[in-house]
Amino acid sequence: MRKFFRIFRISAVIMAFAGAFFVLHKPAEPKTDDCSLDKDAAKQIFKTAETFEKTGSECVFNVSDASGKMLGRVLYAKPDETSVAGFGGKLRVVVGLDKSGKIAGIELGENYESVGFIERVRSEGFFKKWNGLSVEEAAKADVDTVSGATMSTTAIKSMVALNLSKYSGMEITADQQDATPLWLKITVFIILAYSLFAFFFPQKTAKFRIFHLAALAVVLGFISGSALSIESFKNWLTTGNIALVPLVILCTALIIPIISGKNFYCNFVCPFGAMQELLGKIPLPKKSFPPKFMKKVTIFKTILLVLIYAVMVSGLFTDLTVFEPFSAFKFEVAALPSLIIAALFLIISLFINRPWCRFFCPTGTLMNMFRKKEREF
């Protein structure tokens, strides 16, 4: 009977996320020959714009005000095979040129990036770094990415370069050296391999546990930002795009519990779980809870996961990072609610073992759907 319910749980999760994929999924790249301009984004550059007249085959539009006076031009090129994907997939950028041909502004068009991250990027003044430059000057401009939002800002740089290249006919390539470096990918895979070894041979690796936890927090958390989250699931479902590192982490997080019946990701990979456990090692009195109470917590966590799933599918919130602490690892661009959640539960972890994992985490609840029903932590 237990085996039947486990198969039922796994099947229900798979069907739920398959349904979410059909509801949320949009092509990562615009339709063929689709130059339909994001006019709201363009009007952020030209405040008095009223009409946009397409002039050529490369998504270039003349911009005029209500009186017909020309204000400048906007470029809105489609992503191609050279375009770099952001965290939520490939995106589009509106580039505004004034009447003298200098850049009047840059705005984000069609995209699937996290709203909180983009707002922080905007507050850093990233979109203004090309303003006032000619196309030739912009082609040579050395624009730094924003720490904590490297994937998004590298993708934006890529699309600015593509727009300018198609408009001017010059070969303009954005510097992509800020993309995830090979050494970091290798380091993440080494840590993941060790996590698998520690999972299957816990007694042999117990004395190195504290170093393992530190590596998870520093490398998978602060450096690479590789924590699984409901927001990352939403982005993958929306775009169908997932990078190699999170793909490997996701596959192991789902497959290992099916094979072993035990939760692998939460205890041996999750960087926020690692941080809680590290702080929990400080010798302070810890609060324990009776089994009956923890059963009620399990029911609460399941209900919470269902509610967040409903919010995700309905689109009531476009930025789900506010429901979890994981984006706090990229604290420079993290949304305030995520920072508050992270700080609060790290403090609580001094007195309660892994409180976020045990009492709230919707991502952990999802991972537990794939294992046997045993004591969680």
Side-chain angles (χ1 to χ4, degrees):
M1 184 62 71
R2 287 185 178 181
K3 184 176 181 180
F4 169 78
F5 280 115
R6 185 180 177 217
I7 294 173
F8 176 79
R9 287 199 316 271
I10 294 173
S11 300
V13 171
I14 292 173
M15 287 189 292
F17 277 87
F21 177 81
F22 285 110
V23 172
L24 296 172
H25 181 66
K26 299 175 183 178
E29 298 183 18
K31 297 177 182 179
T32 303
D33 296 328
D34 181 10
C35 281
S36 56
L37 177 66
D38 187 332
K39 293 182 180 179
D40 289 336
K43 287 181 179 180
Q44 293 298 313
I45 302 173
F46 295 104
K47 305 296 184 183
T48 60
E50 285 293 332
T51 60
F52 301 90
E53 181 182 357
K54 187 172 180 294
T55 63
S57 60
E58 294 297 346
C59 302
V60 178
F61 298 80
N62 287 333
V63 184
S64 302
D65 62 16
S67 67
K69 179 182 177 182
M70 185 173 174
L71 303 174
R73 287 180 170 178
V74 291
L75 321 177
Y76 197 55
K78 301 183 294 293
D80 60 18
E81 65 280 357
T82 68
S83 303
V84 177
F87 184 76
K90 291 189 177 182
L91 48 80
R92 296 182 78 169
V93 168
V94 179
V95 177
L97 302 176
D98 63 22
K99 289 187 291 185
S100 67
K102 293 187 176 181
I103 294 180
I106 304 290
E107 279 295 331
L108 195 58
E110 180 184 7
N111 72 92
Y112 310 106
E113 303 302 286
S114 299
V115 175
F117 276 40
I118 293 302
E119 288 308 309
R120 288 299 181 94
V121 167
R122 189 180 303 281
S123 70
E124 292 280 332
F126 179 77
F127 290 101
K128 297 180 180 180
K129 292 185 176 181
W130 290 270
N131 288 7
L133 301 179
S134 66
V135 172
E136 292 77 10
E137 291 169 336
K140 301 174 183 178
D142 184 14
V143 176
D144 293 330
T145 55
V146 175
S147 176
T150 303
M151 289 184 67
S152 298
T153 47
T154 299
I156 292 169
K157 287 171 57 179
S158 169
M159 284 308 300
V160 171
L162 181 64
N163 272 288
L164 297 176
S165 178
K166 287 184 176 294
Y167 176 72
S168 66
M170 298 188 299
E171 185 176 345
I172 302 173
T173 304
D175 180 11
Q176 298 173 15
Q177 65 181 2
D178 292 314
T180 305
L182 179 61
W183 70 264
L184 181 55
K185 292 179 181 177
I186 294 173
T187 303
V188 170
F189 289 141
I190 290 173
I191 293 174
L192 188 59
Y194 179 83
S195 296
L196 284 167
F197 182 79
F199 175 76
F200 287 108
F201 303 98
Q203 293 181 341
K204 293 184 178 181
T205 57
K207 61 183 178 180
F208 303 111
R209 177 70 175 172
I210 192 168
F211 301 106
H212 181 203
L213 294 173
L216 293 174
V218 173
V219 179
L220 269 69
F222 290 106
I223 298 178
S224 71
S226 297
L228 299 180
S229 67
I230 298 299
E231 173 70 10
S232 62
F233 293 143
K234 185 203 76 175
N235 285 335
W236 300 333
L237 291 168
T238 300
T239 66
N241 177 69
I242 180 171
L244 178 62
V245 169
L247 176 62
V248 173
I249 292 175
L250 178 63
C251 289
T252 56
L254 299 180
I255 294 173
I256 299 301
I258 294 175
I259 296 172
S260 67
K262 298 179 181 179
N263 191 318
F264 167 65
Y265 176 79
C266 294
N267 293 309
F268 291 88
V269 180
C270 177
F272 192 70
M275 285 196 68
Q276 292 175 90
E277 188 172 335
L278 281 170
L279 288 174
K281 291 185 178 296
I282 296 175
L284 293 173
K286 298 296 189 292
K287 174 70 175 176
S288 60
F289 299 88
K292 286 186 178 180
F293 177 78
M294 294 308 299
K295 285 184 179 180
K296 292 179 181 179
V297 169
T298 300
I299 296 172
F300 165 75
K301 288 172 65 179
T302 303
I303 294 172
L304 181 62
L305 174 62
V306 172
L307 289 175
I308 292 179
Y309 173 85
V311 168
M312 178 181 72
V313 174
S314 67
L316 291 175
F317 283 87
T318 55
D319 185 6
L320 298 181
T321 61
V322 299
F323 292 106
E324 296 182 290
F326 307 118
S327 66
F329 283 107
K330 299 298 182 181
F331 55 87
E332 308 96 326
V333 291
L336 181 60
S338 182
L339 293 170
I340 293 173
I341 292 172
L344 178 63
F345 280 91
L346 288 177
I347 293 171
I348 296 174
S349 67
L350 294 170
F351 310 100
I352 299 175
N353 290 324
R354 298 171 70 108
W356 174 256
C357 306
R358 296 173 68 193
F359 300 114
F360 290 95
C361 186
T363 300
T365 304
L366 179 62
M367 297 297 105
N368 282 329
M369 296 289 185
F370 290 82
R371 67 171 182 81
K372 293 177 182 178
K373 283 296 179 182
E374 301 171 348
R375 186 170 64 86
E376 291 186 20
F377 297 103

